Amino acid sequence: MTATPRSPHDGVYDVAVIGGGIVGAAIARELSGCDVSVALLEARDDVGDGTSKANTAILHTGFDAKPGTLESRLVARGYHLLNAYAEATGIPVEHTGAVLVAWNEEELEALPGLKEKAEANGYTRCRIVDADEVYAALPDLGEGVLGGLTVPDESIICTWTTNLALATDARQRGTTILLKHAVTGVEEGTEATTLHTAAGEVRARWVVNAAGLGSDHIDRLFGHDRFTVTPRRGELFVFDKLTRPLVNKIVLPVPTSRGKGVLISPTIYGNVMLGPTAEDLTDRTDTATSEDGYAFLLSKGERLMPRLLAEEVTASYAGLRAAIDRSDYLIEASPEQRYLLVGGIRSTGLTAGIAIAEHVRGLLEKAGLPLRTREELPAPPRMPDIGEATLRPYQDGDLIARDPAYGTVVCFCERVTEGEIRDACHAPLPARTLEGLRRRTRAMNGRCQGFFCGAAVTALLEQHHTDDGCRSQHKDNR
């Protein structure tokens, strides 16, 4: 069962959600499960193309959040919600567990406090271990480990598929997804607010601001001056799949006031990741990697796991986090304006997204928006599993027998097939660009970074964009 977009009454949506990242998509999904019309506005040409696409992709238990904060509550709740949602939709998850590693006496002495913090957050499965036990779990760590704290339920997840699943689910529930709709102005009226965007006006009775890096700008358009976003660049190295046997758990540093520091983690795609850095910038579009970032990561990696640095780096990339001058999420409703802010959502927003959406719904209802759950909703979408730990299409003989396109490998580094590329172009939210295709299939995401397969992948993308089915999907989502 798939819903069509719910038409706004008199050209006015009941709710407009600004921002098509994980949090915005989760909110649109939650609200479109109610008897209201919802529009999801995204400034870029695809959902999940901003902060949500470039993070450490860890599904957090919330063990190290500040107890008593909104963030700690929503991360803990979101961990269980997202685990269940991943199982229902096929989002790749691996429950690897994590070890917080102490490299000096100060960090070792901090471990009991971190264990107590975890227990204050309701997570009781942490255990302090000695150096021998750390090395038994991670024998390739560098010399000098003094002890550790185990966090057995920390996991890795596909952030790309999470965002796409939530947005697809929202669309199937009736949300109208409006891409290339960067909000440039706000005009508040008695009955509705008019959002001026790069693609025309959008009118809505209520507005939810989940714009991430741009959330403070949108907030000021509504007349507020509550916070300022500082783009914090995090650079990462991705190592070749041959390194995966070195790292079967997430290796976490003892956190500082500036962040969780540099970690080593397996990825859902079979690689190993080192990072991130934490550099405050002024340019909210600067996702370039830097020489200083490289040097910093190399120095950290040399200490953490020297053997890893002897292996090949497949890719390096940078993401921007929306840091603010507060230690907690900033989620507040302004009932008189029929406006709600969702700001200061750090990297934990990946885990907390569905719980944030629940919280937003409650605040909107309290602020005066009637939200009645619809009796019949479509089943959650079943997403392509692009993780490395499960059976991939090129390995599935029965699938290939039914459709030989799944046996025609196009991207050899990542083993992506013609059938997967075709499917991504004809999905409810189709790939429109090579980057969109990469996030849906892993094509060109491997060792050669598209050098070998780029022309063939581009040709397939262009071929399927000429199909009537793909064109109709474009029309639905303008």
Side-chain angles (χ1 to χ4, degrees):
M1 172 178 154
T2 301
T4 56
R6 297 171 69 82
S7 299
H9 179 66
D10 295 333
V12 181
Y13 291 97
D14 291 312
V15 186
V17 180
I18 303 173
I22 285 173
V23 173
I27 293 169
R29 170 189 172 270
E30 176 72 25
L31 297 180
S32 59
C34 303
D35 194 20
V36 291
S37 57
V38 180
L40 179 64
L41 283 65
E42 168 54 43
R44 302 178 186 238
D45 62 3
D46 197 5
V47 295
D49 193 36
T51 298
S52 293
K53 74 178 180 183
N55 57 43
T56 50
I58 294 176
L59 180 55
H60 288 293
T61 58
F63 80 98
D64 59 348
K66 184 178 179 180
T69 60
L70 180 62
E71 180 179 19
S72 68
R73 176 164 66 85
L74 295 182
V75 171
R77 169 75 173 152
Y79 176 84
H80 298 289
L81 290 174
L82 185 50
N83 262 306
Y85 190 67
E87 185 173 349
T89 58
I91 298 168
V93 174
E94 288 185 48
H95 299 290
T96 60
V99 180
L100 196 83
V101 178
W103 297 90
N104 56 48
E105 290 293 338
E106 182 181 358
E107 293 176 352
L108 187 66
E109 291 171 2
L111 296 182
L114 288 167
K115 183 175 183 290
E116 290 173 7
K117 177 187 278 191
E119 290 167 353
N121 284 320
Y123 185 75
T124 60
R125 283 167 48 80
C126 286
R127 189 167 60 89
I128 295 174
V129 296
D130 61 19
D132 288 342
E133 192 163 346
V134 174
Y135 281 119
L138 294 157
D140 291 295
L141 283 176
E143 296 180 358
V145 172
L146 299 182
L149 181 73
T150 64
V151 193
D153 298 300
E154 292 282 286
S155 306
I156 57 175
I157 191 169
C158 180
T159 183
W160 298 338
T161 309
T162 301
N163 206 145
L164 190 61
L166 291 166
T168 300
D169 206 353
R171 184 185 183 279
Q172 290 185 172
R173 289 179 170 201
T175 292
T176 299
I177 297 181
L178 302 171
L179 303 176
K180 298 182 181 179
H181 276 66
V183 176
T184 56
V186 170
E187 184 180 338
E188 296 181 58
T190 305
E191 299 297 327
T193 296
T194 300
L195 302 174
H196 298 280
T197 83
E201 295 181 351
V202 177
R203 301 181 67 217
R205 293 177 179 81
W206 289 78
V207 176
V208 176
N209 172 8
L213 286 166
S215 55
D216 57 339
H217 290 334
I218 301 296
D219 202 44
R220 289 189 180 95
L221 291 176
F222 277 90
H224 301 278
D225 190 15
R226 289 182 266 198
F227 69 110
T228 297
V229 168
T230 298
R232 182 166 292 164
R233 180 167 62 186
E235 298 181 51
L236 302 107
F237 284 158
V238 179
F239 289 85
D240 189 84
K241 289 177 173 53
L242 294 174
T243 62
R244 181 60 185 267
L246 301 178
V247 185
N248 64 357
K249 297 184 183 303
I250 305 163
V251 182
L252 296 171
V254 174
T256 67
S257 59
R258 188 162 177 77
K260 297 185 177 180
V262 173
L263 57 84
I264 297 175
S265 175
T267 76
I268 209 76
Y269 318 115
N271 302 89
V272 170
M273 178 178 61
L274 171 68
T277 60
E279 178 187 5
D280 288 346
L281 306 175
T282 56
D283 184 351
R284 303 187 187 210
T285 64
D286 187 359
T287 56
T289 53
S290 67
E291 186 175 344
D292 288 345
Y294 279 22
F296 178 79
L297 290 178
L298 289 172
S299 67
K300 288 291 185 180
E302 184 65 36
R303 170 73 185 277
L304 294 170
M305 188 173 287
R307 278 198 61 189
L308 185 62
L309 297 189
E311 302 293 337
E312 293 185 15
V313 173
T314 294
S316 61
Y317 66 93
L320 296 176
R321 290 162 277 176
I324 67 170
D325 55 354
R326 300 196 182 202
S327 59
D328 199 0
Y329 292 169
L330 180 56
I331 306 177
E332 294 180 357
S334 300
E336 69 283 357
Q337 293 178 288
R338 299 186 303 277
Y339 166 66
L340 188 144
L341 165 67
V342 183
I345 310 300
R346 292 170 284 277
S347 58
T348 53
L350 165 59
T351 301
I354 300 178
I356 291 171
E358 280 188 343
H359 182 65
V360 164
R361 174 179 174 170
L363 290 178
L364 288 173
E365 289 180 301
K366 186 176 179 180
L369 175 62
L371 291 170
R372 182 172 59 85
T373 300
R374 288 157 54 198
E375 292 185 2
E376 291 189 16
L377 289 173
R382 192 69 189 174
M383 306 303 294
D385 185 346
I386 61 173
E388 193 68 11
T390 51
L391 187 70
R392 299 280 305 284
Y394 80 93
Q395 299 169 311
D396 190 337
D398 291 339
L399 179 63
I400 294 168
R402 294 193 301 271
D403 187 342
Y406 294 112
T408 304
V409 174
V410 179
C411 170
F412 286 87
C413 294
E414 296 296 303
R415 304 293 194 267
V416 180
T417 67
E418 183 178 322
E420 292 169 275
I421 291 173
R422 175 201 62 205
D423 293 349
C425 289
H426 293 272
L429 292 179
R432 298 168 174 81
T433 65
L434 291 174
E435 276 302 305
L437 196 59
R438 182 194 298 261
R439 292 194 298 275
R440 288 162 174 79
T441 66
R442 287 171 45 182
M444 306 188 304
N445 202 49
R447 181 182 288 188
C448 84
Q449 290 290 290
F451 180 82
F452 180 79
C453 66
V457 171
T458 301
L460 283 170
L461 182 65
E462 291 174 350
Q463 171 193 325
H464 289 292
H465 272 195
T466 65
D467 293 348
D468 290 339
C470 208
R471 279 208 304 272
S472 68
Q473 295 290 358
H474 280 286
K475 183 177 179 181
D476 286 345
N477 290 283
R478 281 177 189 155

